[in-house]
Amino acid sequence: MLNLVLFGPPGSGKGTQSNNLIKDYHLIHLSTGDLLRNEIAEGTELGLKAKEIMAEGLLVPDKVVIGMIKKKLENNKAAKGFIFDGFPRTVAQAEALDEALTSMDAHISGMIELKVGQEELEKRLLLRGTESDRPDDADIVVIRKRINEYISKTVPVAEYYKQQGKLRSVSGMGKVEDIFDSVKELVNSL
Ligand code: AP5
Ligand code: MG
């Protein structure tokens, strides 16, 4: 199995690069943000709880996202591998993911970190806010809160994988295709 973690701050291109990777590597794309937005669109109990937290730019509780990911892993046992996008976002989530994969006789092959400066992140997200219906992109205060959540709670996850020798970093600035070439090079070296 090839199991990748796509890592980086809000707006760094995790979703964009994941969509390219799944085509070339035939992996299953698991974005906890997309899964949560589906729950909101379907009006489920989980979605109702997550909606306000997401609109504020804060992380939803670990238990909720870990439960969602475990269900997806159980339902896709024959998969060639997974791309985890926007997950794990806390060390507790990373530990839970390792545990779940170990029970499937699998492991994380590597983490790809997309490095993008704050000014560019804010520019990309504000632009998307004008053309999409993601409420968390519409307000610079919320965008900055998401970036702060990333710095305080998610950055330690990179250290978690670094200690396992699995962290690979690449610049996420520039053209999407050029970044994809660099990402592929890293994936092929795993
Ligand atoms: P989530 O959906 O994961 O959002 P995010 O991390 O804030 O990141 P984005 O999806 O905005 O950015 P991205 O890195 O995927 O970049 P993208 O490719 O879209 O999470 C949303 C919320 O859900 C969280 O705030 C939290 O509340 C909750 N949540 C989710 N997972 C959770 C978890 N595990 N634990 C707890 N809570 C969780 O690109 C962004 C934009 O830039 C796009 O418009 C794109 O077209 C553009 N773009 C991409 N690449 C480039 C480029 N190279 N040049 C110019 N523009 C580009
Ligand atoms: Mg995304």
Side-chain angles (χ1 to χ4, degrees):
M1 266 180 127
L2 178 66
N3 294 309
L4 304 172
V5 176
L6 249 276
F7 189 78
S12 56
K14 302 182 295 291
T16 305
Q17 297 300 332
S18 293
N19 284 331
N20 284 334
L21 280 167
I22 50 170
K23 287 182 208 137
D24 279 24
Y25 295 87
H26 311 289
L27 305 172
I28 293 184
H29 181 196
L30 294 182
S31 154
T32 39
D34 289 347
L35 294 173
L36 288 165
R37 280 184 288 277
N38 287 343
E39 297 279 343
I40 293 174
E42 285 167 15
T44 65
E45 200 180 320
L46 192 160
L48 285 175
K49 279 188 200 148
K51 190 176 176 179
E52 273 182 41
I53 304 174
M54 290 169 75
E56 273 189 64
L58 301 172
L59 293 187
V60 306
D62 286 338
K63 213 174 124 194
V64 173
V65 282
I66 290 167
M68 283 192 325
I69 287 287
K70 277 191 176 166
K71 206 153 104 189
K72 286 285 172 189
L73 294 178
E74 272 159 28
N75 292 341
N76 290 286
K77 283 195 172 137
K80 278 191 163 185
F82 298 91
I83 298 185
F84 299 95
D85 159 7
F87 180 90
R89 253 176 157 97
T90 63
V91 172
Q93 291 178 22
E95 287 168 351
L97 178 60
D98 270 352
E99 209 179 289
L101 288 174
T102 303
S103 75
M104 296 166 64
D105 249 344
H107 60 271
I108 290 297
S109 315
M111 169 188 263
I112 312 283
E113 176 191 23
L114 298 168
K115 284 184 167 290
V116 177
Q118 175 143 353
E119 210 177 307
E120 171 72 10
L121 298 174
E122 290 179 3
K123 203 173 86 189
R124 288 183 189 177
L125 295 176
L126 280 173
L127 177 66
R128 188 173 58 186
T130 62
E131 55 199 24
S132 84
D133 54 1
R134 268 187 66 166
D136 57 346
D137 284 341
D139 182 350
I140 189 67
V141 177
V142 174
I143 289 173
R144 289 191 177 141
K145 221 191 253 179
R146 284 159 63 196
I147 295 173
N148 287 339
E149 283 280 88
Y150 172 79
I151 293 168
S152 62
K153 298 181 183 153
T154 307
V155 165
V157 176
E159 186 58 33
Y160 178 87
Y161 287 101
K162 191 176 174 191
Q163 280 173 10
Q164 296 184 11
K166 291 179 178 172
L167 174 65
R168 305 283 184 279
S169 299
V170 73
S171 167
M173 306 280 277
K175 280 197 204 150
V176 170
E177 313 83 76
D178 293 342
I179 300 163
F180 185 51
D181 285 341
S182 313
V183 168
K184 268 199 295 194
E185 217 173 285
L186 288 184
V187 172
N188 293 337
S189 74
L190 289 172

